[in-house]
């Protein structure tokens, strides 16, 4: 019922096409853990991968790709439990954007999206 945004169509499509797989835990009381979360339902975290050739001088980096899926202009916070020491916007070839450095804030990384915009973020992890 309602619009595709209200009905959660995008989330349901991901649930259907990429079902959650469970694996046995090594302990009975393992704490819940999530590497990433996004504050807006309009923003989809699509990809998390090790940084490639564009970031060749940063072997300890990962790239996160997100997109705005509702056709709206939105600001979202990307939170992570990973030990990030530096964050920057990058292009699709994973080259850091000029003046693309993102401040690390307590709420996470503040990202601004226009309708259907894709953002790639290079996260350099501490050892």
């Amino acid at each position: 019922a309602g619009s595709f945004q209200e009905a959660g169509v995008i989330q349901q499509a991901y649930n259907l096409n990429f079902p959650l797989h469970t694996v046995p835990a090594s302990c009975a009381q393992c704490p819940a853990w999530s590497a990433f979360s996004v504050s807006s339902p309009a923003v989809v975290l699509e990809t998390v991968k090790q940084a490639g050739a564009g970031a060749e001088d940063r072997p300890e980096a990962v790239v996160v790709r997100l997109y705005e899926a509702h056709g709206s202009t939105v600001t979202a916070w990307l939170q992570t439990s990973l030990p990030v020491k530096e964050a920057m916007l990058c292009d699709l070839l994973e080259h850091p954007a000029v003046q693309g450095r993102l401040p690390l804030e307590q709420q996470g990384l503040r990202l601004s999206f226009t309708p259907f915009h894709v953002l790639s973020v290079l996260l350099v992890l501490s050892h």
Side-chain angles (χ1 to χ4, degrees):
S3 68
F4 79 94
Q5 296 96 334
E6 294 166 339
V9 170
I10 294 168
Q11 182 63 53
Q12 293 301 319
Y14 273 94
N15 292 347
L16 176 66
N17 290 298
F18 303 102
L20 183 63
H21 295 281
T22 59
V23 294
S26 59
C27 66
Q29 299 297 323
C30 293
W33 180 82
S34 178
F36 295 96
S37 65
V38 181
S39 66
S40 172
V43 176
V44 176
L45 192 159
E46 172 64 32
T47 304
V48 178
K49 64 184 273 303
Q50 185 173 0
E56 60 195 28
D57 61 333
R58 293 181 165 95
E60 69 286 358
V62 295
V63 173
V64 179
R65 278 204 187 89
L66 310 99
Y67 70 92
E68 193 290 320
H70 289 180
S72 60
T73 298
V74 64
T75 297
W77 291 93
L78 173 66
Q79 295 97 16
T80 182
S81 59
L82 300 178
V84 175
K85 70 177 178 182
E86 187 179 8
M88 63 202 76
L89 295 174
C90 63
D91 63 20
L92 291 176
L93 297 176
E94 301 171 10
H95 296 108
V98 176
Q99 297 186 359
R101 179 152 287 141
L102 298 169
L104 301 172
E105 301 183 45
Q106 186 172 355
Q107 307 95 305
L109 298 173
R110 184 178 188 271
L111 303 172
S112 297
F113 293 86
T114 54
F116 308 109
H117 188 196
V118 177
L119 283 181
S120 296
V121 180
L122 181 68
L123 302 174
V124 180
L125 307 178
S126 25
H127 296 294

